[in-house]
Amino acid sequence: MKKYICTVCDWVYDPEVGDPDGGIAPGTAFEDLPEDWVCPVCGVGKEDFQVVED
């Protein structure tokens, strides 16, 4: 699964880790995050994330 980076604060969403503090279980793909999910660091929405290129 691909990682996604916040274009505002550079926090990386890693699907292998999820977002435990936000109630997102490990193994949750970015595409499967709820539409109202926000970056746990700066609070922007999914539209402000982009794929981390290897």
Side-chain angles (χ1 to χ4, degrees):
M1 286 189 277
K2 294 183 179 181
K3 295 179 183 178
Y4 285 76
I5 189 167
C6 178
T7 59
V8 175
C9 73
D10 293 334
W11 182 81
V12 175
Y13 177 76
D14 182 347
E16 291 183 12
V17 176
D19 176 16
D21 294 338
I24 305 299
T28 303
F30 186 82
E31 296 81 6
D32 295 332
L33 292 172
E35 286 303 313
D36 62 350
W37 178 85
V38 296
C39 176
V41 174
C42 69
V44 298
K46 291 172 60 176
E47 65 277 1
D48 290 312
F49 280 73
Q50 64 184 23
V51 174
V52 174
E53 301 296 337
D54 292 331

